[in-house]
mmCIF file of all heavy atoms in Angstrom:
data_model
loop_
_atom_site.group_PDB
_atom_site.id
_atom_site.type_symbol
_atom_site.label_atom_id
_atom_site.label_comp_id
_atom_site.label_asym_id
_atom_site.label_seq_id
_atom_site.Cartn_x
_atom_site.Cartn_y
_atom_site.Cartn_z
ATOM 1 N N THR A 2 15.462 22.839 -52.983
ATOM 2 C CA THR A 2 15.101 22.192 -54.238
ATOM 3 C C THR A 2 13.695 22.573 -54.646
ATOM 4 O O THR A 2 12.935 23.146 -53.870
ATOM 5 C CB THR A 2 15.173 20.663 -54.095
ATOM 6 O OG1 THR A 2 14.127 20.256 -53.222
ATOM 7 C CG2 THR A 2 16.512 20.211 -53.568
ATOM 8 N N ALA A 3 13.337 22.194 -55.859
ATOM 9 C CA ALA A 3 11.999 22.502 -56.361
ATOM 10 C C ALA A 3 10.930 21.729 -55.616
ATOM 11 O O ALA A 3 9.758 22.001 -55.753
ATOM 12 C CB ALA A 3 11.923 22.196 -57.849
ATOM 13 N N HIS A 4 11.316 20.756 -54.812
ATOM 14 C CA HIS A 4 10.329 19.945 -54.100
ATOM 15 C C HIS A 4 10.254 20.269 -52.617
ATOM 16 O O HIS A 4 9.767 19.478 -51.838
ATOM 17 C CB HIS A 4 10.659 18.463 -54.289
ATOM 18 C CG HIS A 4 10.583 18.039 -55.709
ATOM 19 N ND1 HIS A 4 9.396 17.949 -56.387
ATOM 20 C CD2 HIS A 4 11.553 17.746 -56.590
ATOM 21 C CE1 HIS A 4 9.628 17.579 -57.619
ATOM 22 N NE2 HIS A 4 10.936 17.455 -57.776
ATOM 23 N N THR A 5 10.724 21.431 -52.205
ATOM 24 C CA THR A 5 10.671 21.802 -50.807
ATOM 25 C C THR A 5 9.329 22.421 -50.483
ATOM 26 O O THR A 5 8.953 23.432 -51.052
ATOM 27 C CB THR A 5 11.791 22.794 -50.456
ATOM 28 O OG1 THR A 5 13.020 22.176 -50.774
ATOM 29 C CG2 THR A 5 11.749 23.149 -48.992
ATOM 30 N N CYS A 6 8.599 21.810 -49.579
ATOM 31 C CA CYS A 6 7.303 22.347 -49.160
ATOM 32 C C CYS A 6 7.509 23.150 -47.890
ATOM 33 O O CYS A 6 8.093 22.660 -46.936
ATOM 34 C CB CYS A 6 6.333 21.196 -48.901
ATOM 35 S SG CYS A 6 4.742 21.711 -48.278
ATOM 36 N N LEU A 7 7.041 24.374 -47.884
ATOM 37 C CA LEU A 7 7.147 25.185 -46.683
ATOM 38 C C LEU A 7 6.034 24.860 -45.703
ATOM 39 O O LEU A 7 6.241 24.804 -44.521
ATOM 40 C CB LEU A 7 7.103 26.669 -47.042
ATOM 41 C CG LEU A 7 8.244 27.156 -47.934
ATOM 42 C CD1 LEU A 7 8.044 28.625 -48.267
ATOM 43 C CD2 LEU A 7 9.578 26.925 -47.257
ATOM 44 N N ARG A 8 4.826 24.673 -46.198
ATOM 45 C CA ARG A 8 3.687 24.317 -45.357
ATOM 46 C C ARG A 8 2.523 23.984 -46.273
ATOM 47 O O ARG A 8 2.536 24.285 -47.453
ATOM 48 C CB ARG A 8 3.326 25.448 -44.412
ATOM 49 C CG ARG A 8 2.946 26.718 -45.133
ATOM 50 C CD ARG A 8 2.743 27.834 -44.128
ATOM 51 N NE ARG A 8 2.282 29.000 -44.818
ATOM 52 C CZ ARG A 8 2.979 30.100 -44.959
ATOM 53 N NH1 ARG A 8 4.168 30.197 -44.449
ATOM 54 N NH2 ARG A 8 2.479 31.125 -45.605
ATOM 55 N N TRP A 9 1.496 23.403 -45.714
ATOM 56 C CA TRP A 9 0.290 23.140 -46.509
ATOM 57 C C TRP A 9 -0.923 23.539 -45.731
ATOM 58 O O TRP A 9 -0.911 23.580 -44.529
ATOM 59 C CB TRP A 9 0.233 21.700 -47.003
ATOM 60 C CG TRP A 9 0.191 20.623 -45.972
ATOM 61 C CD1 TRP A 9 1.255 20.065 -45.327
ATOM 62 C CD2 TRP A 9 -0.957 19.939 -45.463
ATOM 63 N NE1 TRP A 9 0.855 19.098 -44.463
ATOM 64 C CE2 TRP A 9 -0.510 18.984 -44.523
ATOM 65 C CE3 TRP A 9 -2.320 20.031 -45.715
ATOM 66 C CZ2 TRP A 9 -1.360 18.138 -43.842
ATOM 67 C CZ3 TRP A 9 -3.166 19.173 -45.026
ATOM 68 C CH2 TRP A 9 -2.676 18.258 -44.113
ATOM 69 N N LEU A 10 -1.959 23.873 -46.470
ATOM 70 C CA LEU A 10 -3.193 24.337 -45.861
ATOM 71 C C LEU A 10 -4.320 23.431 -46.321
ATOM 72 O O LEU A 10 -4.513 23.251 -47.513
ATOM 73 C CB LEU A 10 -3.512 25.769 -46.298
ATOM 74 C CG LEU A 10 -2.590 26.865 -45.766
ATOM 75 C CD1 LEU A 10 -1.365 26.985 -46.609
ATOM 76 C CD2 LEU A 10 -3.328 28.156 -45.703
ATOM 77 N N THR A 11 -5.031 22.845 -45.402
ATOM 78 C CA THR A 11 -6.183 22.038 -45.756
ATOM 79 C C THR A 11 -7.369 22.965 -45.944
ATOM 80 O O THR A 11 -7.677 23.766 -45.079
ATOM 81 C CB THR A 11 -6.483 21.016 -44.644
ATOM 82 O OG1 THR A 11 -5.317 20.212 -44.468
ATOM 83 C CG2 THR A 11 -7.659 20.146 -45.017
ATOM 84 N N LEU A 12 -8.015 22.840 -47.100
ATOM 85 C CA LEU A 12 -9.082 23.769 -47.429
ATOM 86 C C LEU A 12 -10.471 23.203 -47.215
ATOM 87 O O LEU A 12 -11.443 23.886 -47.378
ATOM 88 C CB LEU A 12 -8.946 24.209 -48.889
ATOM 89 C CG LEU A 12 -7.670 24.946 -49.222
ATOM 90 C CD1 LEU A 12 -7.605 25.207 -50.711
ATOM 91 C CD2 LEU A 12 -7.573 26.239 -48.458
ATOM 92 N N GLY A 13 -10.626 21.966 -46.913
ATOM 93 C CA GLY A 13 -11.945 21.376 -46.767
ATOM 94 C C GLY A 13 -12.359 20.710 -48.055
ATOM 95 O O GLY A 13 -11.791 20.938 -49.107
ATOM 96 N N GLY A 14 -13.312 19.845 -47.984
ATOM 97 C CA GLY A 14 -13.734 19.129 -49.169
ATOM 98 C C GLY A 14 -12.630 18.242 -49.700
ATOM 99 O O GLY A 14 -12.600 17.886 -50.860
ATOM 100 N N GLY A 15 -11.632 17.914 -48.861
ATOM 101 C CA GLY A 15 -10.547 17.045 -49.272
ATOM 102 C C GLY A 15 -9.463 17.734 -50.067
ATOM 103 O O GLY A 15 -8.575 17.085 -50.602
ATOM 104 N N LEU A 16 -9.478 19.071 -50.172
ATOM 105 C CA LEU A 16 -8.461 19.768 -50.942
ATOM 106 C C LEU A 16 -7.410 20.356 -50.032
ATOM 107 O O LEU A 16 -7.681 20.727 -48.909
ATOM 108 C CB LEU A 16 -9.093 20.889 -51.767
ATOM 109 C CG LEU A 16 -10.066 20.463 -52.857
ATOM 110 C CD1 LEU A 16 -10.621 21.696 -53.553
ATOM 111 C CD2 LEU A 16 -9.404 19.559 -53.861
ATOM 112 N N ALA A 17 -6.216 20.469 -50.543
ATOM 113 C CA ALA A 17 -5.133 21.116 -49.800
ATOM 114 C C ALA A 17 -4.348 21.989 -50.749
ATOM 115 O O ALA A 17 -4.248 21.706 -51.937
ATOM 116 C CB ALA A 17 -4.213 20.087 -49.167
ATOM 117 N N VAL A 18 -3.784 23.061 -50.226
ATOM 118 C CA VAL A 18 -2.882 23.897 -51.004
ATOM 119 C C VAL A 18 -1.496 23.662 -50.448
ATOM 120 O O VAL A 18 -1.267 23.768 -49.247
ATOM 121 C CB VAL A 18 -3.252 25.397 -50.881
ATOM 122 C CG1 VAL A 18 -2.217 26.254 -51.565
ATOM 123 C CG2 VAL A 18 -4.615 25.642 -51.481
ATOM 124 N N ILE A 19 -0.577 23.319 -51.323
ATOM 125 C CA ILE A 19 0.811 23.132 -50.927
ATOM 126 C C ILE A 19 1.548 24.421 -51.251
ATOM 127 O O ILE A 19 1.549 24.871 -52.391
ATOM 128 C CB ILE A 19 1.461 21.966 -51.697
ATOM 129 C CG1 ILE A 19 0.688 20.675 -51.470
ATOM 130 C CG2 ILE A 19 2.917 21.809 -51.316
ATOM 131 C CD1 ILE A 19 0.647 20.205 -50.058
ATOM 132 N N LEU A 20 2.133 25.018 -50.239
ATOM 133 C CA LEU A 20 2.882 26.248 -50.417
ATOM 134 C C LEU A 20 4.346 25.862 -50.425
ATOM 135 O O LEU A 20 4.864 25.360 -49.445
ATOM 136 C CB LEU A 20 2.597 27.209 -49.273
ATOM 137 C CG LEU A 20 1.108 27.448 -48.999
ATOM 138 C CD1 LEU A 20 0.945 28.333 -47.797
ATOM 139 C CD2 LEU A 20 0.446 28.024 -50.210
ATOM 140 N N GLY A 21 5.009 26.087 -51.528
ATOM 141 C CA GLY A 21 6.388 25.653 -51.636
ATOM 142 C C GLY A 21 7.257 26.706 -52.261
ATOM 143 O O GLY A 21 6.846 27.830 -52.489
ATOM 144 N N THR A 22 8.480 26.310 -52.551
ATOM 145 C CA THR A 22 9.433 27.211 -53.149
ATOM 146 C C THR A 22 9.997 26.573 -54.397
ATOM 147 O O THR A 22 10.426 25.429 -54.371
ATOM 148 C CB THR A 22 10.581 27.517 -52.167
ATOM 149 O OG1 THR A 22 10.009 28.002 -50.971
ATOM 150 C CG2 THR A 22 11.520 28.535 -52.744
ATOM 151 N N LEU A 23 9.963 27.294 -55.474
ATOM 152 C CA LEU A 23 10.571 26.853 -56.719
ATOM 153 C C LEU A 23 11.660 27.859 -57.068
ATOM 154 O O LEU A 23 11.372 28.953 -57.510
ATOM 155 C CB LEU A 23 9.539 26.781 -57.849
ATOM 156 C CG LEU A 23 8.373 25.832 -57.608
ATOM 157 C CD1 LEU A 23 7.331 25.979 -58.706
ATOM 158 C CD2 LEU A 23 8.878 24.407 -57.564
ATOM 159 N N THR A 24 12.894 27.513 -56.813
ATOM 160 C CA THR A 24 14.043 28.389 -57.032
ATOM 161 C C THR A 24 13.785 29.803 -56.510
ATOM 162 O O THR A 24 13.956 30.778 -57.214
ATOM 163 C CB THR A 24 14.452 28.434 -58.531
ATOM 164 O OG1 THR A 24 13.360 28.941 -59.301
ATOM 165 C CG2 THR A 24 14.863 27.072 -59.024
ATOM 166 N N GLY A 25 13.318 29.882 -55.270
ATOM 167 C CA GLY A 25 13.135 31.159 -54.601
ATOM 168 C C GLY A 25 11.809 31.842 -54.857
ATOM 169 O O GLY A 25 11.536 32.876 -54.299
ATOM 170 N N THR A 26 10.969 31.285 -55.701
ATOM 171 C CA THR A 26 9.681 31.885 -56.001
ATOM 172 C C THR A 26 8.589 31.099 -55.298
ATOM 173 O O THR A 26 8.552 29.886 -55.381
ATOM 174 C CB THR A 26 9.409 31.867 -57.517
ATOM 175 O OG1 THR A 26 10.493 32.524 -58.168
ATOM 176 C CG2 THR A 26 8.122 32.572 -57.845
ATOM 177 N N ALA A 27 7.690 31.790 -54.626
ATOM 178 C CA ALA A 27 6.601 31.096 -53.943
ATOM 179 C C ALA A 27 5.707 30.424 -54.969
ATOM 180 O O ALA A 27 5.502 30.934 -56.054
ATOM 181 C CB ALA A 27 5.793 32.078 -53.104
ATOM 182 N N ALA A 28 5.214 29.255 -54.618
ATOM 183 C CA ALA A 28 4.322 28.521 -55.511
ATOM 184 C C ALA A 28 3.230 27.879 -54.695
ATOM 185 O O ALA A 28 3.408 27.594 -53.527
ATOM 186 C CB ALA A 28 5.100 27.446 -56.263
ATOM 187 N N ALA A 29 2.102 27.658 -55.311
ATOM 188 C CA ALA A 29 1.009 26.969 -54.642
ATOM 189 C C ALA A 29 0.458 25.919 -55.591
ATOM 190 O O ALA A 29 0.311 26.164 -56.773
ATOM 191 C CB ALA A 29 -0.087 27.955 -54.249
ATOM 192 N N THR A 30 0.193 24.743 -55.073
ATOM 193 C CA THR A 30 -0.384 23.657 -55.844
ATOM 194 C C THR A 30 -1.611 23.173 -55.111
ATOM 195 O O THR A 30 -1.596 23.043 -53.899
ATOM 196 C CB THR A 30 0.624 22.482 -55.951
ATOM 197 O OG1 THR A 30 1.828 22.982 -56.493
ATOM 198 C CG2 THR A 30 0.077 21.383 -56.817
ATOM 199 N N VAL A 31 -2.674 22.902 -55.829
ATOM 200 C CA VAL A 31 -3.885 22.398 -55.198
ATOM 201 C C VAL A 31 -4.006 20.919 -55.503
ATOM 202 O O VAL A 31 -3.794 20.485 -56.624
ATOM 203 C CB VAL A 31 -5.132 23.145 -55.709
ATOM 204 C CG1 VAL A 31 -6.395 22.565 -55.113
ATOM 205 C CG2 VAL A 31 -5.027 24.621 -55.372
ATOM 206 N N SER A 32 -4.321 20.124 -54.487
ATOM 207 C CA SER A 32 -4.443 18.682 -54.647
ATOM 208 C C SER A 32 -5.685 18.187 -53.926
ATOM 209 O O SER A 32 -6.080 18.742 -52.919
ATOM 210 C CB SER A 32 -3.225 17.985 -54.040
ATOM 211 O OG SER A 32 -3.435 16.593 -53.957
ATOM 212 N N GLU A 33 -6.285 17.109 -54.445
ATOM 213 C CA GLU A 33 -7.422 16.499 -53.762
ATOM 214 C C GLU A 33 -6.963 15.488 -52.724
ATOM 215 O O GLU A 33 -7.766 14.965 -51.978
ATOM 216 C CB GLU A 33 -8.352 15.841 -54.776
ATOM 217 C CG GLU A 33 -9.068 16.875 -55.620
ATOM 218 C CD GLU A 33 -10.138 16.270 -56.491
ATOM 219 O OE1 GLU A 33 -10.574 15.140 -56.233
ATOM 220 O OE2 GLU A 33 -10.542 16.957 -57.442
#
Side-chain angles (χ1 to χ4, degrees):
T2 68
H4 297 290
T5 302
C6 176
L7 298 177
R8 60 186 185 248
W9 61 276
L10 291 84
T11 302
L12 298 175
L16 295 179
V18 174
I19 302 298
L20 309 176
T22 305
L23 300 173
T24 61
T26 304
T30 305
V31 177
S32 169
E33 290 188 18

